[in-house]
Amino acid sequence: SSFGNTPGMHLQDLILDAKHTATNEQKAACLKLLRVVIKNLADPARCTDAKYRQLRLSNEKVQAKLLPCPSAVEYMMAIGFAKITDVDGAAYLRIPVETTVNPSHMAAALQELTNAIALVEPSSSSASSAAAAAAAASSTRSLMHSQSSSFGEEKKTPEGIIIKSAGSSSGNSSFGVVPSRFTEKQKARDLMEKKRKAEAEEAKRMRALNVAKLKQDKFVRENDENWKSGVSAACAKSGTGISTFRDKYGEGEN
């Protein structure tokens, strides 16, 4: 097989989706289906069982998950599946009987699929954190409102300042003037905190993306028979390689 026909390249095409318009939800559903198939093949006790070596393309659930992501079929064919039509006309993706499945290779592919799902599927922890932050902000606003409304009559000036009357139920007139909204400094702090959290989330996403790319690159180097190392971008630009002290001056003797 050529470099462009490796499983890793098709998996990358599925994630990036340069030619098609699958949503992240559709990509995640497709990748989860692939993960189930590959997980069975990574099991030495199942990889020889014909039941786990095929996928019926006429199955409605399979169609719903595979059709939005054409690269998924190409990925499976690069793994070892082939398109086969039985005598009854049913179409399958099936690993031929004469093909031996390597469970260790499938285990590596399983890890790649797990990483890919993490890239396209929204993080539930991030969603719950955002919901918790929104609930906390709402609670804080409610508390401030309840505190500001517990000190008798109030009037609001055009500048947004609430003026409290002394005749409150608490009998304390020290709460004469209370701002009804956040100050500019509080707004700035709130914006800075939101920006910091957004940058932290983006940094986390980029780290996960880089780790996935490194693992994909390792998988290609270990499994693509046509892969070979080449001149680095730095050497190609400068025209010279990186030499060690020993390369330049020889071994020498003390």
Side-chain angles (χ1 to χ4, degrees), residues 224-247:
D224 184 15
E225 58 188 11
N226 294 315
W227 183 89
K228 62 180 181 179
S229 61
V231 179
S232 69
C235 292
K237 185 175 181 180
S238 65
T240 59
I242 299 175
S243 59
T244 64
F245 182 89
R246 185 179 294 127
D247 295 331

Side-chain angles (χ1 to χ4, degrees), residues 6-28:
T6 59
M9 293 303 295
H10 293 305
L11 186 59
Q12 179 176 305
D13 289 341
L14 194 159
I15 296 171
L16 297 178
D17 195 27
K19 300 179 181 178
H20 306 283
T21 57
T23 64
N24 280 348
E25 289 76 12
Q26 289 173 321
K27 293 178 188 178

